[in-house]
Amino acid sequence: MLTGIAASSAIAAAGLPRIGRTASLPVPPANTAPADVARDEAFWQEVATHYDRTDGILNLEHGYWGKMASPVQSAYLDALRMVNTQNSFYARKDFADDEVEATRRIANALDAHEDEIVITRNATEAAHNLIRQYRGLGAGDAVLLADIDYPGFKSHMHWLAKGRGVRVVEIEIPTWTNQAEILELYLDAFDANPDLKLVLVTHVSNQQGLVVPVAEITAEAKRRGIDVICDAAQSWGLLDFQVTELGADWVAFNLHKWIGAPVGTGALYMRRGTLGKVAPYPGEEDPEGTRVAARVHPGTFNFAARVAIPAALDFHEAIGSANKEARLRYLRGLWSKDALGMGHLEVLGGSDEASWTGIGSFRLVGKTTIDDAIALQQRLENDFGIFSVVRKGLASGGCVRITPQVFNTPDEIGQLVDALQRLAA
Ligand SMILES: Cc1ncc(COP(=O)(O)O)c(C=O)c1O
């Protein structure tokens, strides 16, 4: 269901069908708490009718990117046909209005101002630009990261530090932890390193789905004059939150994960009044320090993917962000609570409610090498028909990540639990 005014008129002019106009959206049960909606199988069956499924394998690796629901896919394909038909006539004339509309919707959903958001190709573009263009570092300063951060962002921070004579401090987060302990580890690192200028904080880790208390860490960092780059690539749509709740001035988002927009869509958020510390993209101008858009220079990108962003937000909002978080956590609990009682498995991640999400990871007890994790992933795939992914970034070693989507069923999670039991043999 595309709301872009310009896209609709371009489509009409091209004699193409109107984008997604007939799409039906899921309707959650009225006046029902998310924890109860999470267990309403009839509703989730209805949601699942909007997704095409993979045959022959149970895919529990949906942390890479989010499959588009059918109304989103229709909107995207309509937009693709329109863009291909109209070509530069659309891209040079009407696309700007559609991009403004997509940006408005993103800002609305995040409780941000429109001028605080620019659409990017992914979270990497947003975070890498923030890291590279950060102005506040010089010889003698230090930056902070954690082993649970995204590998491609950790390496970028190391690169930045090397080029500027900056020290990198890396903390290790325990394999099984909680909000208070994580916060304490960051605060201890702040105390131990008074030369810290910048910290990378990941809202939800791609390794094991651990939630980091970004708001508390950021509040303390700000009090000490430490700047924060927040990686919310994996959290938006997986958790129900708005950017204002994170307290961070600069945040990298994905729309192609849990928001379910086409691949090639992310967003950079920069809070009003904070742009001065991050230089414009090389060659861009922003003398007033007000243009977030001047922090990226994407070149030519996938217009249709951006045009379909409102359709993705329509679908996401129809399910309801809180309902989605609750369902994904419910599915995660269905396997991890059993796995925690299995002596041959080590479950990784959050021990308290606030620290875990729909994403989770595990390994066989004592089997911590990357080769061990690869063998485990292969066993799940070849012996049990369950697709998962190996994660390699934790200080404690390799693990296998399990990520159900909203269309997965409790029966499918039951298949995983059977497989986990049989891994003891
Ligand atoms: C926590 C986290 N950060 C960053 C990224 C990078 O996202 P993208 O490749 O879409 O830029 C990912 C992707 O999996 C992630 O999980």
Side-chain angles (χ1 to χ4, degrees):
M1 172 164 319
L2 195 108
T3 47
I5 298 151
S8 299
S9 55
I11 282 164
L16 294 166
R18 309 287 284 186
I19 293 176
R21 274 293 156 82
T22 53
S24 68
L25 296 173
V27 182
N31 306 318
T32 311
D36 296 324
V37 175
R39 290 164 173 75
D40 182 335
E41 294 310 321
F43 172 62
W44 295 103
Q45 265 171 33
E46 185 202 336
V47 170
T49 62
H50 294 280
Y51 291 90
D52 296 328
R53 299 294 305 268
T54 320
D55 288 331
I57 189 93
L58 171 53
N59 187 349
L60 294 179
E61 171 18 15
H62 294 287
Y64 196 171
W65 79 84
K67 184 179 286 201
M68 283 179 271
S70 49
V72 185
Q73 183 175 269
S74 298
Y76 177 49
L77 294 177
D78 288 350
L80 195 63
R81 274 190 287 271
M82 179 275 290
V83 171
N84 198 48
T85 304
Q86 298 285 328
N87 191 265
S88 52
F89 184 65
Y90 165 73
R92 295 201 189 280
K93 287 166 67 76
D94 289 337
F95 171 70
D97 287 348
D98 285 331
E99 189 164 49
V100 166
E101 172 61 9
T103 306
R104 188 189 67 78
R105 291 291 306 274
I106 294 168
N108 236 9
L110 285 171
D111 191 27
H113 301 286
E114 283 166 54
D115 57 286
E116 294 176 320
I117 297 286
V118 62
I119 300 175
T120 58
R121 287 168 292 185
N122 45 47
T124 298
E125 182 174 38
H128 277 187
N129 288 17
L130 285 172
I131 293 169
R132 282 198 313 274
Q133 289 154 224
Y134 179 66
R135 284 176 157 142
L137 287 177
D141 292 334
V143 295
L144 180 71
L145 15 133
D147 67 325
I148 61 163
D149 292 333
Y150 186 67
F153 296 177
K154 288 194 280 187
S155 55
H156 222 61
M157 290 283 277
H158 277 281
W159 170 88
L160 173 81
K162 206 166 156 193
R164 299 200 198 168
V166 163
R167 205 165 59 87
V168 178
V169 179
E170 184 159 341
I171 53 172
E172 286 177 23
I173 306 294
T175 53
W176 189 243
T177 186
N178 57 58
Q179 296 289 277
E181 187 176 42
I182 302 169
L183 178 60
E184 204 177 306
L185 284 165
Y186 276 88
L187 299 192
D188 287 350
F190 291 173
D191 285 342
N193 301 283
D195 49 351
L196 278 177
K197 286 283 163 15
L198 180 66
V199 51
L200 172 67
V201 181
T202 304
H203 190 199
V204 170
S205 172
N206 81 314
Q207 299 291 309
Q208 76 302 50
L210 185 71
V211 185
V212 173
V214 174
E216 290 80 355
I217 293 168
T218 302
E220 188 56 28
K222 281 187 174 172
R223 210 178 61 75
R224 297 171 187 235
I226 304 169
D227 289 315
V228 174
I229 292 177
C230 176
D231 171 5
Q234 195 63 264
S235 59
W236 191 27
L238 176 71
L239 295 182
D240 176 35
F241 71 96
Q242 294 182 313
V243 71
T244 35
E245 295 166 48
L246 297 178
D249 291 341
W250 310 323
V251 188
F253 290 103
N254 263 327
L255 285 113
H256 58 210
K257 287 192 191 286
W258 296 99
I259 298 300
V263 170
T265 51
L268 167 62
Y269 164 86
M270 296 182 76
R271 198 166 63 78
R272 276 181 185 169
T274 68
L275 275 63
K277 282 186 178 170
V278 178
Y281 189 90
E284 296 287 330
E285 301 282 339
D286 183 22
E288 311 289 320
T290 51
R291 288 182 51 236
V292 180
R295 270 71 198 164
V296 294
H297 188 108
T300 309
F301 46 77
N302 185 343
F303 302 101
R306 293 185 183 196
V307 170
I309 286 172
L313 285 166
D314 285 343
F315 193 83
H316 174 72
E317 288 165 3
I319 292 177
S321 203
N323 292 334
K324 197 158 146 183
E325 172 182 335
R327 174 63 170 184
L328 293 169
R329 279 154 75 81
Y330 171 64
L331 293 177
R332 151 81 196 269
L334 287 181
W335 71 265
S336 67
K337 283 178 184 154
D338 281 4
L340 279 165
M342 297 180 197
H344 59 292
L345 298 185
E346 179 188 4
V347 178
L348 310 179
S351 58
D352 57 341
E353 262 321 280
S355 301
W356 62 280
T357 53
I359 301 175
S361 292
F362 73 99
R363 57 168 73 112
L364 291 171
V365 166
K367 300 279 190 187
T368 57
T369 68
I370 302 303
D371 283 347
D372 288 333
I374 292 171
L376 181 55
Q377 187 279 335
Q378 287 290 293
R379 231 179 125 190
L380 277 179
E381 183 173 340
N382 298 332
D383 298 356
F384 302 104
I386 295 172
F387 190 68
S388 59
V389 69
V390 172
R391 295 292 80 184
K392 305 176 180 175
L394 295 177
S396 65
C399 58
V400 165
R401 186 179 75 186
I402 299 292
T403 313
Q405 249 285 12
V406 289
F407 45 77
N408 285 121
T409 63
D411 281 353
E412 288 171 334
I413 303 301
Q415 277 180 52
L416 172 68
V417 172
D418 286 347
L420 295 181
Q421 264 153 357
R422 288 162 63 192
L423 288 173

